[in-house]
Amino acid sequence: MENKLFEETDYDLELKRSQEISEKCAHLPNLDFPKYYPEFSCERVITMDWMNGKHFSEFTKQDHSQDDLNKIGQTLWDFYMYQMHVLKQVHADPHPGNFLVSTDKKLLVIDFGCIKEIPNDFYKPYFELAKRENLDNPEFFKEKLYQLEILCDTDSTKELEFFTKLFYELLELFTRPFNTVNFDFSDETFFQEIADLGQRYAKLSSMKGMNTNRGSKHFIYMNRTFFGLYNMMHDLKAQNIVINQYQNFIQ
């Protein structure tokens, strides 16, 4: 956390990353970025184009056609999937304040303060567990939990059982979109299940005395990214989102 706080206040680094990601994602449809001006920037100031548009949160509170909502939702989803699976780094702060929507319904990305690089030794087991057949293979599932540092050699039998069950329920729920061709992010049942799962485990007294400080250090940023992304997709009530459309844009 200390390292990330320093990164988020390093404007030289943010400028460099902003230029890199905007250039690498410039070809994605319906997405736009400001131009950055290094000659007018320094460690305390980033200078970039003014972007005209409505803040994302304002846009979602207004009435729009389902086609427009789906268009913005697909753009947002493609942007994140392309980063994760192609660039192996991600804009790990997906909240409405970092996005605008233009009058011609383009998604504008205006803040790259928190970029998380995804090392391959984390990426591979993490997304292997996004496949339902791997989740439902107990031996494979447990092997990946050890690789992701969810399970430890020092765990008691009780801890092994508890955290295996917890992460199966968590991953089964959060990876559902990845096991479909299209997904409906307006589905209230899906988001109620997420809320219910969190409430249920937050109240469990059986966690007392267990070592809950576990998991790869990369988990916090990936989970933060998905939680924010899912909430934004739900705010849009985006429907019929093509999950792997990003593959069409790989150069």
Side-chain angles (χ1 to χ4, degrees):
M1 292 302 295
E2 181 182 0
N3 290 339
K4 278 297 168 191
L5 284 171
F6 277 113
E7 278 188 22
E8 290 212 36
T9 55
D10 183 343
Y11 278 10
D12 289 329
L13 178 61
E14 182 173 342
L15 175 66
K16 178 175 177 287
R17 285 174 165 173
S18 299
Q19 290 178 298
E20 286 178 353
I21 291 190
S22 57
E23 287 170 8
K24 290 175 180 176
C25 294
H27 67 291
L28 298 178
N30 207 47
L31 195 63
D32 208 355
F33 305 90
K35 179 182 176 183
Y36 293 89
Y37 298 88
E39 65 271 29
F40 301 123
S41 302
C42 63
E43 69 276 4
R44 294 189 178 185
V45 175
I46 295 179
T47 304
M48 58 187 178
D49 284 341
W50 177 269
M51 305 293 281
N52 288 305
K54 291 179 182 176
H55 283 285
F56 186 92
S57 55
E58 181 186 357
F59 177 82
T60 57
K61 290 175 183 175
Q62 297 175 335
D63 290 331
H64 298 281
S65 70
Q66 190 62 53
D67 284 346
D68 283 344
L69 296 173
N70 292 349
K71 181 181 180 182
I72 296 298
Q74 187 69 63
T75 303
L76 180 65
W77 186 260
D78 292 344
F79 176 49
Y80 271 89
M81 294 305 103
Y82 191 85
Q83 291 174 78
M84 289 180 187
H85 297 300
V86 181
L87 304 184
K88 300 292 175 62
Q89 57 183 349
V90 69
H91 179 245
D93 197 13
H95 70 76
N98 289 335
F99 297 88
L100 303 175
V101 180
S102 67
T103 53
D104 57 350
K105 304 301 185 295
K106 282 190 173 182
L107 186 67
L108 314 178
V109 191
I110 58 174
D111 189 319
F112 287 97
C114 184
I115 299 297
K116 175 70 182 122
E117 295 183 1
I118 310 171
N120 200 54
D121 59 356
F122 176 81
Y123 172 88
K124 192 170 185 292
Y126 187 91
F127 283 102
E128 281 178 328
L129 290 183
K131 298 177 181 178
R132 186 57 190 262
E133 63 266 27
N134 291 336
L135 279 178
D136 290 339
N137 180 333
E139 290 185 7
F140 185 89
F141 179 62
K142 186 168 285 190
E143 176 189 339
K144 297 304 166 184
L145 290 187
Y146 276 107
Q147 288 181 22
L148 292 168
E149 302 171 47
I150 299 301
L151 299 181
C152 310
D153 292 333
T154 56
D155 283 338
S156 66
T157 301
K158 182 181 178 182
E159 286 173 324
L160 286 174
E161 291 176 354
F162 178 84
F163 287 107
T164 299
K165 180 176 182 290
L166 166 61
F167 276 88
Y168 178 84
E169 291 187 18
L170 184 69
L171 289 166
E172 187 280 323
L173 185 54
F174 269 83
T175 61
R176 279 185 202 170
F178 295 99
N179 290 283
T180 62
V181 176
N182 303 83
F183 196 78
D184 179 3
F185 285 95
S186 69
D187 182 3
E188 296 293 344
T189 303
F190 174 68
F191 287 90
Q192 188 59 51
E193 283 188 65
I194 291 176
D196 290 345
L197 182 66
Q199 288 291 324
R200 180 155 53 87
Y201 276 98
K203 295 176 181 178
L204 280 182
S205 60
S206 57
M207 289 182 69
K208 291 180 180 178
M210 289 187 184
N211 175 19
T212 56
N213 184 21
R214 59 184 63 232
S216 165
K217 65 181 181 180
H218 306 295
F219 251 110
I220 187 171
Y221 300 103
M222 289 299 287
N223 290 348
R224 173 188 181 183
T225 299
F226 275 115
F227 190 74
L229 176 60
Y230 282 11
N231 276 322
M232 289 181 68
M233 297 294 290
H234 187 51
D235 288 344
L236 284 165
K237 300 294 187 286
Q239 301 174 359
N240 201 35
I241 299 302
V242 183
I243 297 302
N244 290 321
Q245 181 167 280
Y246 78 92
Q247 294 175 353
N248 298 331
F249 312 126
I250 297 175
Q251 296 181 322

